[in-house]
Amino acid sequence: MGGELRYMEERPVDDPREPAKGIEQAKDLLRSFETRAKRRRRPLYGIGVSFPGAVDPRTGDCLLWAESGWKRFPLARSLMEAMDIPVLLEEDVRAEALGEFWFGEGQGVDSLVLLKLARGVGAGVVLEQRPYRGVNGLAGEVGHITVDPYGDRCSCGRVGCLETKVSVPAVLRKARELLKKNPDSPLAREELSLESIYRAAREGEKVAREVLEQLVAFTKVALEIVVHAYDPDIIVLSGAVVEAEGADILLNNVQLGDFPVEVRVDVRVSSFGKHRGIIGAAASVLHRLIVDPQAIEG
Amino acid sequence: MGGELRYMEERPVDDPREPAKGIEQAKDLLRSFETRAKRRRRPLYGIGVSFPGAVDPRTGDCLLWAESGWKRFPLARSLMEAMDIPVLLEEDVRAEALGEFWFGEGQGVDSLVLLKLARGVGAGVVLEQRPYRGVNGLAGEVGHITVDPYGDRCSCGRVGCLETKVSVPAVLRKARELLKKNPDSPLAREELSLESIYRAAREGEKVAREVLEQLVAFTKVALEIVVHAYDPDIIVLSGAVVEAEGADILLNNVQLGDFPVEVRVDVRVSSFGKHRGIIGAAASVLHRLIVDPQAIEG
């Protein structure tokens, strides 16, 4: 299977805290794509939307988009109004998993889990060649599994979630915490980032080594959670934590292998870069057209 | 759907450490069932086996049965030799999940997870009405997810697995540990068991309360792992930890509810009692006959 990005247009949203306004802007963008396709006599089969918040898998309602303060909102329905073609809404990590399944690292496999370690942590799950969403749309929310009952408080309100260990903010917070106790560290003299931490760790700097050590341990925990829950053919890692410059020092140190039985699992890093959202959205349209056509009716 | 236990026969195994001997005894038992069915002119559609170790989902080989020291062994193939009807092998927790799906608490649902808190801890996963096994047969091995990186060593060799918190041995170990520091506890005067701990906790005894408190916290973690991984319609709890006399004090104290979105999930305790293995094995035959008939050929 192949695909090509033919045209792209980016528009910032005026006020991300206002769902109704954002939707109007999005509709405007969708209509412009539709018009453009008609003018060029190119068939447009559907519009895929990769959405960064929680979605009700039955209704396509937005349930929560914490970052922008959205609560329940009829997202799919609102986007669909006034469109002549289907609009397919998928949560971003799930869409990205479908992107890997159709166009990326997971082509031809039966089961794939995309594990994203970014600002948040979550998994997009494709089992037996279908995206798996769960009853409430929570399947794959592995970032909120408790991995340290004595750990830090998570943005979700609970303590010691995986996200408090392997997300970008978690890594930076841990580094800052250690730098307070080690103000003479050379790391304290530069702007703190994943790149600077990975670089310093490679040079053997103490604080960075300690941050890396914890990150290695919990990245291993994260991968083992995926294996113990889904046992997929392939785990595709994505997100800044594994894609930042120098992240190979993390990946080279994560050793999977303490399973009671021999485990075949292919662990790779996504190669999609910043267009992963667009590719994932397109893949979700393709997936429903080919695999799940009845889902496209509504 | 209904079912009835028509006849049962139990035989102890001479030497559980010898797979070949155990298999010969099992075959003998299987043949006696076949003969009995023929004599009574009752059709026998298949023989279901609920096996308490790890099974390769493709070959039906035993991969590991730690308790009896079994390693890789061609289990399904050995049982199938000399039988005229299909022999279906399923890991015990997975078979029990199918039992609940066909005859028990989960009838009519789309997705069910049986979470067993017994000597070991594991989940049997039925998604979209099919048992989900994973590539290596590890799907549902949630007992070996790390939930406390500073915790006790697990029988699997790693540290802080869920099984070190919510299994029967884990609860008893925790109680013994606390009793060492509190030798005057009334709990120290009786034989330690789940029942005695639950009873003492109800009476407000300090050590038992502390054991219960930890068990409540990690049972909540276990349920949340199931929701975050599979987000099923129903979670059926089974095993001595939740079925011992007085276990309602545990279940009444586990409050699910810290999810970022509203979660519908039905949590129930299995009502099968000690015949759950037999019911599960029968359900796995029924399941393949009705849902997955091609699987019965091989």
Side-chain angles (χ1 to χ4, degrees), chain A residues 54 58 63-64 111 127-128 130 132-142 144-150 158 165 218 220-221 224-225 227-233 258-264, chain B residues 54 58 63-64 111 127-128 130 132-142 144-150 158 165 218 220-221 224-225 227-233 258-264:
Chain A
R58 292 160 311 145
L63 292 174
L64 184 74
S111 56
L127 299 181
E128 291 167 358
R130 289 164 179 274
Y132 183 70
R133 303 180 181 90
V135 173
N136 305 282
L138 275 184
E141 283 286 350
V142 297
H144 297 290
I145 287 178
T146 307
V147 297
D148 180 1
Y150 318 106
R158 303 188 307 154
K165 302 288 183 183
F218 283 97
K220 181 169 179 287
V221 168
E224 288 168 353
I225 286 174
V227 170
H228 285 130
Y230 311 110
D231 191 7
D233 292 295
D258 293 345
F259 298 107
V261 300
E262 194 193 333
V263 165
R264 290 166 302 133
Chain B
R58 291 161 312 147
L63 293 175
L64 183 74
S111 57
L127 299 182
E128 290 167 358
R130 289 165 177 273
Y132 183 70
R133 303 179 181 91
V135 173
N136 306 281
L138 276 184
E141 281 287 350
V142 298
H144 297 291
I145 287 178
T146 307
V147 296
D148 181 359
Y150 320 105
R158 302 188 307 152
K165 302 288 183 182
F218 283 97
K220 181 169 179 287
V221 169
E224 288 168 352
I225 285 173
V227 171
H228 285 131
Y230 311 110
D231 191 8
D233 292 296
D258 292 346
F259 299 107
V261 300
E262 194 192 333
V263 165
R264 289 166 302 134

Side-chain angles (χ1 to χ4, degrees), chain B residues 133-201:
Chain B
R133 303 179 181 91
V135 173
N136 306 281
L138 276 184
E141 281 287 350
V142 298
H144 297 291
I145 287 178
T146 307
V147 296
D148 181 359
Y150 320 105
D152 295 325
R153 193 161 290 278
C154 181
S155 61
C156 77
R158 302 188 307 152
V159 164
C161 296
L162 180 62
E163 192 163 297
T164 68
K165 302 288 183 182
V166 294
S167 63
V168 180
V171 174
L172 298 181
R173 189 172 56 236
K174 175 82 182 170
R176 269 186 227 108
E177 193 186 300
L178 290 174
L179 285 174
K180 266 188 207 160
K181 294 180 218 154
N182 300 272
D184 299 334
S185 160
L187 201 59
R189 288 194 298 274
E190 45 185 331
E191 199 179 340
L192 201 63
S193 66
L194 285 169
E195 288 80 0
S196 67
I197 293 170
Y198 288 144
R199 197 181 332 108

Side-chain angles (χ1 to χ4, degrees), chain B residues 49-256:
Chain B
V49 178
S50 168
F51 181 72
V55 174
D56 185 323
R58 291 161 312 147
T59 60
D61 286 2
C62 164
L63 293 175
L64 183 74
W65 183 13
E67 200 187 321
S68 291
W70 291 24
K71 299 231 164 119
R72 188 178 270 277
F73 182 85
L75 184 54
R77 200 147 33 93
S78 305
L79 288 170
M80 226 121 50
E81 279 168 12
M83 296 302 296
D84 288 337
I85 49 168
V87 178
L88 297 173
L89 186 72
E90 194 71 85
E91 282 188 46
D92 55 354
V93 188
R94 221 163 268 149
E96 289 166 28
L98 278 172
E100 295 291 347
F101 178 76
W102 281 97
F103 302 120
E105 299 294 330
Q107 293 177 62
V109 304
D110 209 50
S111 57
L112 170 152
V113 174
L114 178 99
L115 179 62
K116 190 167 184 174
L117 311 181
R119 207 162 21 162
V121 169
V125 180
V126 176
L127 299 182
E128 290 167 358
Q129 311 195 23
R130 289 165 177 273
Y132 183 70
R133 303 179 181 91
V135 173
N136 306 281
L138 276 184
E141 281 287 350
V142 298
H144 297 291
I145 287 178
T146 307
V147 296
D148 181 359
Y150 320 105
D152 295 325
R153 193 161 290 278
C154 181
S155 61
C156 77
R158 302 188 307 152
V159 164
C161 296
L162 180 62
E163 192 163 297
T164 68
K165 302 288 183 182
V166 294
S167 63
V168 180
V171 174
L172 298 181
R173 189 172 56 236
K174 175 82 182 170
R176 269 186 227 108
E177 193 186 300
L178 290 174
L179 285 174
K180 266 188 207 160
K181 294 180 218 154
N182 300 272
D184 299 334
S185 160
L187 201 59
R189 288 194 298 274
E190 45 185 331
E191 199 179 340
L192 201 63
S193 66
L194 285 169
E195 288 80 0
S196 67
I197 293 170
Y198 288 144
R199 197 181 332 108
R202 190 179 313 271
E203 290 160 6
E205 194 279 323
K206 205 182 110 200
V207 165
R209 294 300 299 187
E210 194 173 334
V211 173
L212 180 69
E213 199 181 309
Q214 171 174 308
L215 183 57
V216 165
F218 283 97
T219 302
K220 181 169 179 287
V221 169
L223 289 168
E224 288 168 352
I225 285 173
V226 170
V227 171
H228 285 131
Y230 311 110
D231 191 8
D233 292 296
I234 177 170
I235 303 174
V236 183
L237 288 164
S238 81
V241 173
V242 295
E243 293 181 278
E245 206 186 307
D248 51 314
I249 195 172
L250 164 63
L251 297 167
N252 292 340
N253 279 289
V254 176
Q255 301 291 343
L256 277 183

Side-chain angles (χ1 to χ4, degrees), chain A residues 37-60:
Chain A
K38 270 191 190 139
R39 209 169 49 225
R40 308 197 158 206
R41 294 170 199 276
R42 290 226 174 97
L44 202 59
Y45 294 108
I47 287 172
V49 178
S50 168
F51 181 73
V55 174
D56 185 322
R58 292 160 311 145
T59 60

Side-chain angles (χ1 to χ4, degrees), chain A residues 73-86:
Chain A
F73 182 84
L75 184 54
R77 198 148 32 93
S78 304
L79 288 170
M80 226 121 52
E81 278 169 13
M83 296 303 296
D84 288 338
I85 50 170

